[in-house]
Short mmCIF file of all heavy atoms in Angstrom, two decimals:
data_model
loop_
_atom_site.label_atom_id
_atom_site.label_comp_id
_atom_site.label_asym_id
_atom_site.label_seq_id
_atom_site.Cartn_x
_atom_site.Cartn_y
_atom_site.Cartn_z
N SER A 296 20.47 -31.25 -1.77
CA SER A 296 21.73 -31.60 -1.11
C SER A 296 21.69 -32.98 -0.49
O SER A 296 22.68 -33.73 -0.54
CB SER A 296 22.08 -30.56 -0.04
OG SER A 296 22.39 -29.32 -0.62
N ALA A 297 20.57 -33.34 0.10
CA ALA A 297 20.44 -34.68 0.68
C ALA A 297 20.54 -35.74 -0.41
O ALA A 297 21.15 -36.80 -0.20
CB ALA A 297 19.13 -34.80 1.44
N ALA A 298 19.97 -35.48 -1.57
CA ALA A 298 20.08 -36.42 -2.68
C ALA A 298 21.52 -36.54 -3.16
O ALA A 298 22.00 -37.65 -3.45
CB ALA A 298 19.17 -35.99 -3.83
N GLU A 299 22.23 -35.42 -3.23
CA GLU A 299 23.64 -35.45 -3.61
C GLU A 299 24.46 -36.23 -2.59
O GLU A 299 25.36 -37.00 -2.95
CB GLU A 299 24.18 -34.02 -3.74
CG GLU A 299 23.66 -33.23 -4.91
CD GLU A 299 24.34 -33.60 -6.21
OE1 GLU A 299 25.48 -34.12 -6.18
OE2 GLU A 299 23.73 -33.37 -7.27
N ALA A 300 24.16 -36.02 -1.31
CA ALA A 300 24.89 -36.73 -0.25
C ALA A 300 24.68 -38.23 -0.37
O ALA A 300 25.63 -39.03 -0.25
CB ALA A 300 24.44 -36.24 1.12
N ALA A 301 23.45 -38.64 -0.63
CA ALA A 301 23.16 -40.07 -0.77
C ALA A 301 23.89 -40.66 -1.97
O ALA A 301 24.38 -41.79 -1.92
CB ALA A 301 21.65 -40.27 -0.90
N ALA A 302 24.01 -39.87 -3.03
CA ALA A 302 24.64 -40.37 -4.25
C ALA A 302 26.15 -40.57 -4.08
O ALA A 302 26.72 -41.48 -4.67
CB ALA A 302 24.37 -39.41 -5.40
N CYS A 303 26.78 -39.73 -3.26
CA CYS A 303 28.23 -39.82 -3.12
C CYS A 303 28.67 -40.39 -1.78
O CYS A 303 29.87 -40.51 -1.51
CB CYS A 303 28.88 -38.45 -3.34
SG CYS A 303 28.64 -37.27 -1.99
N GLY A 304 27.71 -40.73 -0.92
CA GLY A 304 28.06 -41.27 0.39
C GLY A 304 28.56 -40.22 1.36
O GLY A 304 29.27 -40.54 2.32
N GLY A 305 28.20 -38.96 1.14
CA GLY A 305 28.65 -37.88 2.00
C GLY A 305 27.79 -37.74 3.24
O GLY A 305 26.60 -38.01 3.22
N ARG A 306 28.41 -37.28 4.30
CA ARG A 306 27.68 -37.04 5.54
C ARG A 306 26.95 -35.69 5.45
O ARG A 306 27.51 -34.71 4.94
CB ARG A 306 28.67 -37.02 6.72
CG ARG A 306 28.01 -37.02 8.09
CD ARG A 306 29.07 -36.82 9.16
NE ARG A 306 29.99 -37.93 9.27
CZ ARG A 306 29.84 -38.96 10.11
NH1 ARG A 306 28.78 -38.99 10.91
NH2 ARG A 306 30.74 -39.92 10.16
N ILE A 307 25.70 -35.64 5.96
CA ILE A 307 24.94 -34.39 5.89
C ILE A 307 24.04 -34.23 7.10
O ILE A 307 23.43 -35.19 7.59
CB ILE A 307 24.10 -34.31 4.59
CG1 ILE A 307 23.46 -32.91 4.43
CG2 ILE A 307 23.07 -35.41 4.51
CD1 ILE A 307 22.86 -32.66 3.06
N VAL A 308 24.00 -33.02 7.62
CA VAL A 308 22.98 -32.58 8.57
C VAL A 308 22.35 -31.33 7.98
O VAL A 308 22.94 -30.69 7.11
CB VAL A 308 23.58 -32.27 9.96
CG1 VAL A 308 24.18 -33.50 10.60
CG2 VAL A 308 24.62 -31.14 9.89
N ALA A 309 21.16 -30.99 8.43
CA ALA A 309 20.49 -29.81 7.86
C ALA A 309 19.67 -29.10 8.93
O ALA A 309 19.10 -29.73 9.82
CB ALA A 309 19.59 -30.22 6.70
N GLY A 310 19.61 -27.79 8.81
CA GLY A 310 18.96 -26.96 9.79
C GLY A 310 17.44 -27.03 9.74
O GLY A 310 16.84 -26.95 8.66
N ALA A 311 16.84 -27.16 10.92
CA ALA A 311 15.38 -27.09 11.07
C ALA A 311 15.09 -25.95 12.02
O ALA A 311 15.57 -25.95 13.17
CB ALA A 311 14.84 -28.41 11.62
N ALA A 312 14.30 -25.00 11.57
CA ALA A 312 14.02 -23.81 12.38
C ALA A 312 12.52 -23.54 12.37
O ALA A 312 11.71 -24.47 12.24
CB ALA A 312 14.82 -22.63 11.85
N THR A 313 12.15 -22.28 12.51
CA THR A 313 10.73 -21.91 12.50
C THR A 313 10.50 -20.73 11.56
O THR A 313 9.56 -19.96 11.72
CB THR A 313 10.26 -21.53 13.92
OG1 THR A 313 11.01 -20.40 14.39
CG2 THR A 313 10.44 -22.69 14.88
N ASP A 314 11.39 -20.58 10.57
CA ASP A 314 11.35 -19.38 9.73
C ASP A 314 10.30 -19.41 8.65
O ASP A 314 10.22 -18.49 7.83
CB ASP A 314 12.73 -19.08 9.14
CG ASP A 314 13.37 -20.28 8.45
OD1 ASP A 314 12.91 -21.42 8.66
OD2 ASP A 314 14.36 -20.08 7.73
N GLN A 315 9.44 -20.45 8.61
CA GLN A 315 8.27 -20.38 7.74
C GLN A 315 7.19 -19.50 8.35
O GLN A 315 6.24 -19.10 7.67
CB GLN A 315 7.72 -21.78 7.44
CG GLN A 315 7.00 -22.48 8.58
CD GLN A 315 7.91 -23.31 9.45
OE1 GLN A 315 8.92 -22.80 9.92
NE2 GLN A 315 7.56 -24.57 9.67
N LEU A 316 7.32 -19.19 9.64
CA LEU A 316 6.39 -18.27 10.29
C LEU A 316 6.74 -16.83 9.92
O LEU A 316 7.90 -16.48 9.77
CB LEU A 316 6.48 -18.42 11.82
CG LEU A 316 6.12 -19.80 12.39
CD1 LEU A 316 6.38 -19.82 13.90
CD2 LEU A 316 4.67 -20.15 12.11
N THR A 317 5.72 -16.01 9.78
CA THR A 317 5.93 -14.59 9.49
C THR A 317 5.55 -13.79 10.72
O THR A 317 4.46 -13.95 11.26
CB THR A 317 5.12 -14.15 8.28
OG1 THR A 317 3.74 -14.41 8.53
CG2 THR A 317 5.55 -14.89 7.03
N GLY A 318 6.46 -12.94 11.16
CA GLY A 318 6.19 -12.15 12.34
C GLY A 318 6.27 -12.99 13.60
O GLY A 318 6.70 -14.14 13.59
N VAL A 319 5.83 -12.41 14.70
CA VAL A 319 5.83 -13.11 15.99
C VAL A 319 4.52 -13.88 16.14
O VAL A 319 3.45 -13.30 16.02
CB VAL A 319 6.00 -12.11 17.15
CG1 VAL A 319 5.98 -12.85 18.49
CG2 VAL A 319 7.29 -11.31 17.00
N PRO A 320 4.58 -15.18 16.37
CA PRO A 320 3.34 -15.96 16.50
C PRO A 320 2.59 -15.59 17.77
O PRO A 320 3.14 -14.96 18.69
CB PRO A 320 3.84 -17.41 16.55
CG PRO A 320 5.24 -17.30 17.07
CD PRO A 320 5.78 -16.02 16.53
N ASP A 321 1.36 -16.01 17.84
CA ASP A 321 0.53 -15.71 19.01
C ASP A 321 0.78 -16.67 20.16
O ASP A 321 0.62 -16.30 21.32
CB ASP A 321 -0.96 -15.76 18.62
CG ASP A 321 -1.34 -14.67 17.64
OD1 ASP A 321 -0.79 -13.56 17.76
OD2 ASP A 321 -2.17 -14.93 16.75
N THR A 322 1.15 -17.91 19.83
CA THR A 322 1.28 -18.92 20.88
C THR A 322 2.54 -19.76 20.69
O THR A 322 3.08 -19.87 19.58
CB THR A 322 0.08 -19.88 20.88
OG1 THR A 322 0.11 -20.66 19.68
CG2 THR A 322 -1.24 -19.11 20.96
N LEU A 323 2.99 -20.38 21.79
CA LEU A 323 4.11 -21.30 21.72
C LEU A 323 3.78 -22.53 20.89
O LEU A 323 4.66 -23.13 20.28
CB LEU A 323 4.54 -21.71 23.13
CG LEU A 323 5.13 -20.61 24.02
CD1 LEU A 323 5.38 -21.15 25.42
CD2 LEU A 323 6.42 -20.07 23.42
N ASP A 324 2.52 -22.92 20.86
CA ASP A 324 2.12 -24.08 20.07
C ASP A 324 2.45 -23.89 18.59
O ASP A 324 2.78 -24.85 17.88
CB ASP A 324 0.63 -24.35 20.24
CG ASP A 324 0.29 -24.97 21.59
OD1 ASP A 324 1.23 -25.48 22.26
OD2 ASP A 324 -0.89 -24.95 21.98
N GLU A 325 2.33 -22.65 18.11
CA GLU A 325 2.68 -22.39 16.72
C GLU A 325 4.17 -22.61 16.46
O GLU A 325 4.56 -23.08 15.39
CB GLU A 325 2.29 -20.96 16.35
CG GLU A 325 0.79 -20.68 16.36
CD GLU A 325 0.49 -19.22 16.12
OE1 GLU A 325 0.71 -18.75 14.98
OE2 GLU A 325 0.04 -18.54 17.06
N VAL A 326 4.98 -22.27 17.45
CA VAL A 326 6.42 -22.50 17.33
C VAL A 326 6.70 -24.00 17.30
O VAL A 326 7.49 -24.49 16.49
CB VAL A 326 7.18 -21.82 18.49
CG1 VAL A 326 8.68 -22.11 18.39
CG2 VAL A 326 6.94 -20.31 18.48
N VAL A 327 6.05 -24.74 18.18
CA VAL A 327 6.22 -26.19 18.21
C VAL A 327 5.84 -26.80 16.87
O VAL A 327 6.57 -27.64 16.31
CB VAL A 327 5.37 -26.82 19.34
CG1 VAL A 327 5.40 -28.34 19.25
CG2 VAL A 327 5.87 -26.35 20.70
N THR A 328 4.72 -26.39 16.33
CA THR A 328 4.24 -26.92 15.05
C THR A 328 5.23 -26.60 13.93
O THR A 328 5.51 -27.45 13.07
CB THR A 328 2.85 -26.36 14.72
OG1 THR A 328 1.93 -26.75 15.73
CG2 THR A 328 2.36 -26.86 13.37
N ALA A 329 5.75 -25.39 13.92
CA ALA A 329 6.72 -24.99 12.89
C ALA A 329 8.00 -25.81 13.00
O ALA A 329 8.52 -26.31 11.98
CB ALA A 329 7.02 -23.51 13.00
N TYR A 330 8.51 -25.96 14.21
CA TYR A 330 9.69 -26.80 14.41
C TYR A 330 9.42 -28.23 13.92
O TYR A 330 10.24 -28.83 13.21
CB TYR A 330 10.06 -26.85 15.89
CG TYR A 330 11.17 -25.93 16.34
CD1 TYR A 330 11.07 -25.24 17.55
CD2 TYR A 330 12.33 -25.77 15.59
CE1 TYR A 330 12.09 -24.41 18.01
CE2 TYR A 330 13.36 -24.94 16.02
CZ TYR A 330 13.24 -24.26 17.23
OH TYR A 330 14.26 -23.45 17.67
N ALA A 331 8.31 -28.79 14.34
CA ALA A 331 7.99 -30.18 14.00
C ALA A 331 7.93 -30.37 12.49
O ALA A 331 8.39 -31.39 11.95
CB ALA A 331 6.67 -30.58 14.65
N GLU A 332 7.34 -29.40 11.79
CA GLU A 332 7.25 -29.49 10.33
C GLU A 332 8.65 -29.55 9.71
O GLU A 332 8.91 -30.38 8.83
CB GLU A 332 6.50 -28.28 9.78
CG GLU A 332 6.44 -28.23 8.26
CD GLU A 332 5.92 -26.92 7.71
OE1 GLU A 332 5.45 -26.06 8.49
OE2 GLU A 332 6.01 -26.74 6.47
N GLN A 333 9.54 -28.68 10.16
CA GLN A 333 10.86 -28.63 9.55
C GLN A 333 11.71 -29.83 9.93
O GLN A 333 12.46 -30.36 9.09
CB GLN A 333 11.56 -27.32 9.91
CG GLN A 333 10.90 -26.10 9.30
CD GLN A 333 11.85 -24.93 9.12
OE1 GLN A 333 13.06 -25.08 9.18
NE2 GLN A 333 11.29 -23.75 8.88
N VAL A 334 11.64 -30.27 11.20
CA VAL A 334 12.39 -31.46 11.60
C VAL A 334 11.95 -32.66 10.77
O VAL A 334 12.78 -33.43 10.26
CB VAL A 334 12.22 -31.74 13.11
CG1 VAL A 334 12.78 -33.12 13.47
CG2 VAL A 334 12.92 -30.66 13.94
N ALA A 335 10.65 -32.84 10.61
CA ALA A 335 10.12 -33.95 9.83
C ALA A 335 10.58 -33.86 8.38
O ALA A 335 10.94 -34.88 7.76
CB ALA A 335 8.60 -33.99 9.91
N PHE A 336 10.59 -32.64 7.83
CA PHE A 336 11.02 -32.48 6.44
C PHE A 336 12.48 -32.89 6.27
O PHE A 336 12.83 -33.63 5.34
CB PHE A 336 10.83 -31.03 5.98
CG PHE A 336 11.29 -30.78 4.58
CD1 PHE A 336 10.47 -31.08 3.51
CD2 PHE A 336 12.56 -30.28 4.33
CE1 PHE A 336 10.91 -30.88 2.20
CE2 PHE A 336 13.01 -30.08 3.04
CZ PHE A 336 12.18 -30.38 1.97
N VAL A 337 13.34 -32.41 7.16
CA VAL A 337 14.77 -32.74 7.08
C VAL A 337 14.96 -34.26 7.18
O VAL A 337 15.70 -34.86 6.39
CB VAL A 337 15.56 -32.02 8.19
CG1 VAL A 337 16.98 -32.55 8.28
CG2 VAL A 337 15.58 -30.51 7.94
N GLN A 338 14.30 -34.88 8.14
CA GLN A 338 14.47 -36.31 8.33
C GLN A 338 13.91 -37.11 7.17
O GLN A 338 14.49 -38.11 6.75
CB GLN A 338 13.84 -36.73 9.65
CG GLN A 338 14.58 -36.15 10.87
CD GLN A 338 13.91 -36.45 12.19
OE1 GLN A 338 12.72 -36.74 12.25
NE2 GLN A 338 14.68 -36.38 13.27
N ASP A 339 12.80 -36.67 6.60
CA ASP A 339 12.22 -37.35 5.44
C ASP A 339 13.16 -37.27 4.23
O ASP A 339 13.14 -38.17 3.38
CB ASP A 339 10.86 -36.74 5.08
CG ASP A 339 9.77 -37.11 6.07
OD1 ASP A 339 9.99 -38.02 6.89
OD2 ASP A 339 8.70 -36.46 6.03
N CYS A 340 13.98 -36.22 4.18
CA CYS A 340 14.93 -36.08 3.07
C CYS A 340 16.17 -36.94 3.28
O CYS A 340 17.00 -37.08 2.37
CB CYS A 340 15.35 -34.62 2.91
SG CYS A 340 14.07 -33.55 2.19
N GLY A 341 16.32 -37.51 4.47
CA GLY A 341 17.45 -38.39 4.74
C GLY A 341 18.61 -37.74 5.45
O GLY A 341 19.69 -38.33 5.53
N ALA A 342 18.42 -36.54 5.99
CA ALA A 342 19.48 -35.84 6.72
C ALA A 342 19.18 -35.85 8.21
O ALA A 342 18.04 -36.04 8.63
CB ALA A 342 19.60 -34.40 6.22
N THR A 343 20.21 -35.64 9.00
CA THR A 343 20.05 -35.43 10.43
C THR A 343 19.63 -33.98 10.67
O THR A 343 20.23 -33.06 10.11
CB THR A 343 21.36 -35.72 11.18
OG1 THR A 343 21.68 -37.11 11.04
CG2 THR A 343 21.24 -35.38 12.66
#
């Protein structure tokens, strides 16, 4: 979708969550790491 947006000049934002985790994590640090991974992925793709 980010590639399509770039091709047509469309505005795009994309969700970053922690749903790559399975079950309830043991620590808050795991949540931080999961969020950081997804935020970085979205931004690297060119979306907000």
Side-chain angles (χ1 to χ4, degrees):
S296 292
E299 290 281 337
C303 73
R306 190 188 293 267
I307 188 169
V308 297
T313 61
D314 51 345
Q315 72 270 52
L316 299 175
T317 58
V319 179
D321 294 323
T322 67
L323 293 175
D324 285 343
E325 294 174 69
V326 178
V327 172
T328 299
Y330 261 139
E332 176 191 352
Q333 293 206 15
V334 169
F336 178 82
V337 169
Q338 293 175 338
D339 287 347
C340 287
T343 295

